[in-house]
Amino acid sequence: MIVLDTNNTSQTIGVLPRYYADLTTDITFQTFNEDTREEVFFAFDAPPFQLIDGFLVFSLITLGKPNNTTYRLKIVENVLNKVIFRGKIFTTDQSIQNYSIDG
């Protein structure tokens, strides 16, 4: 699970994709709020995606997102229509280093 701090403007995330194709050319980043079951859009810093040391790295702007919310994350390679990563994102206003699921 990826934990994001809503107090920061931008945060860089690296995920390990399922396969390595031309990942940075045509991919879609989809997030769904698990409570409302609606698609939610996160803004990106430029460039939106990079492949660095085997990780797919991107920077999300999280300022203004609600606290204590879980999102389903799906990254799709559009040319082959394959899912290259699935995971979850949790947003909180606690510092990431001190975050505890027990409160």
Side-chain angles (χ1 to χ4, degrees):
M1 180 178 291
I2 300 166
V3 180
L4 298 177
D5 184 358
T6 57
N7 295 324
N8 290 339
T9 304
S10 177
Q11 295 172 68
T12 302
I13 301 165
V15 298
L16 193 60
R18 293 181 179 181
Y19 66 93
Y20 298 94
D22 293 329
L23 294 173
T24 57
T25 57
D26 191 15
I27 59 177
T28 303
F29 182 90
Q30 301 170 350
T31 51
F32 297 91
N33 185 319
E34 288 197 334
D35 294 332
T36 62
R37 301 191 185 272
E38 294 177 348
E39 188 169 7
V40 176
F41 297 97
F42 283 85
F44 291 98
D45 283 343
F49 300 98
Q50 296 177 348
L51 190 60
I52 300 174
D53 293 331
F55 286 89
L56 183 62
V57 179
F58 49 93
S59 294
L60 293 177
I61 298 173
T62 57
L63 195 62
K65 296 294 180 196
N67 293 325
N68 302 324
T69 305
T70 304
Y71 301 93
R72 285 181 289 141
L73 166 63
K74 183 168 129 179
I75 302 174
V76 178
E77 199 280 326
N78 293 322
V79 175
L80 300 174
N81 197 25
K82 289 188 175 183
V83 176
I84 59 175
F85 182 80
R86 268 186 214 270
K88 290 194 178 194
I89 296 174
F90 182 75
T91 57
T92 182
D93 60 353
Q94 296 180 28
S95 69
I96 302 300
Q97 290 80 14
N98 298 326
Y99 175 74
S100 171
I101 200 155
D102 298 326

